[in-house]
Amino acid sequence: MTSPQLWNLPNVLTMLRIVLVPFFIWFMLEDASSYGPWRWTAVVAFVVAIYTDKLDGDIARKRGQVTDFGKIADPIADKLLIGSALILLSALNELPWWITILMLVREVGITALRFVVIRYGVIPASRGGKLKTVLQTLAIFLFILPLKGLIPWLGTAAFYVMLVALAVTLVTGVDYIVHAIRMRSLARAARR
């Protein structure tokens, strides 16, 4: 039987975000860069999913409902949403593949690094990591908004925000690697 603590509001919101990902993908593919009603539906799905990310964390901390499931599922849900959005934008020729690849390599690499060093401790999300998520989210939102015909500079703004997001993504990736090396060294020194 599942622990009642698992079925709290923050975890349900995290699961909702995971469930929204295939719908977001479907809406984006149905639109196929025509910037019609399906694209607006994709925007709504993305905004709702991103809002659940903020909401679940706020509720979990406020109510003391942080669970091991939430600690694992929340970042997975984030990576599924952000990763699928990046891949879709590149597949639809709206975002260069090199940006998507660099971001995904960093995300997968840091996630793997966290699992490798978990025996020495948990690498918490840094302020830079949180800024990275905000910038990635903003850039994706600007890219998927179907207003480029009405606001010609929107595409350029989206691209520049994405470049800033990429820079922060790479810099924080290096920071996490340095943090992991230090944590491992300290743990080994403590055992001597």
Side-chain angles (χ1 to χ4, degrees):
M1 185 167 165
T2 306
S3 166
Q5 189 179 13
L6 176 67
W7 294 104
N8 62 35
L9 183 56
N11 289 345
V12 169
L13 289 170
T14 298
M15 289 183 267
L16 173 63
R17 189 160 66 259
I18 292 170
V19 168
L20 281 171
V21 171
F23 289 100
F24 168 72
I25 293 169
W26 177 39
F27 301 148
M28 286 289 289
L29 291 174
E30 280 295 315
D31 180 73
S33 296
S34 65
Y35 305 107
W38 286 112
R39 187 65 165 240
W40 280 109
T41 309
V43 169
V44 170
F46 185 79
V47 168
V48 169
I50 286 301
Y51 185 69
T52 65
D53 183 28
K54 177 180 178 3
L55 193 58
D56 68 6
D58 290 348
I59 292 170
R61 285 184 293 277
K62 184 178 179 182
R63 294 184 181 178
Q65 294 180 325
V66 176
T67 64
D68 289 339
F69 173 81
K71 289 177 188 175
I72 294 168
D74 186 69
I76 289 171
D78 296 345
K79 284 171 183 30
L80 285 172
L81 181 63
I82 298 294
S84 65
L86 292 169
I87 290 168
L88 284 166
L89 288 169
S90 292
L92 295 169
N93 294 317
E94 297 179 36
L95 177 69
W97 274 106
W98 63 270
I99 292 175
T100 295
I101 290 167
L102 284 172
M103 285 194 174
L104 293 180
V105 165
R106 183 271 192 203
E107 295 299 333
V108 170
I110 296 305
T111 300
L113 178 68
R114 282 184 158 139
F115 282 112
V116 168
V117 299
I118 199 148
R119 63 181 166 221
Y120 305 115
V122 175
I123 302 176
S126 67
R127 283 187 179 176
K130 291 175 183 177
L131 175 62
K132 172 218 42 135
T133 302
V134 168
L135 288 169
Q136 286 176 344
T137 301
L138 176 60
I140 290 167
F141 176 72
L142 292 173
F143 264 99
I144 65 174
L145 266 180
L147 297 174
K148 290 172 189 69
L150 297 172
I151 308 171
W153 54 265
L154 186 63
T156 303
F159 184 74
Y160 283 117
V161 173
M162 187 64 80
L163 287 180
V164 173
L166 175 63
V168 173
T169 298
L170 297 176
V171 168
T172 57
V174 171
D175 184 54
Y176 281 126
I177 291 168
V178 168
H179 185 81
I181 291 168
R182 283 186 189 145
M183 190 170 42
R184 181 175 165 246
S185 297
L186 289 172
R188 286 186 168 181
R191 280 192 273 172
R192 291 181 188 160

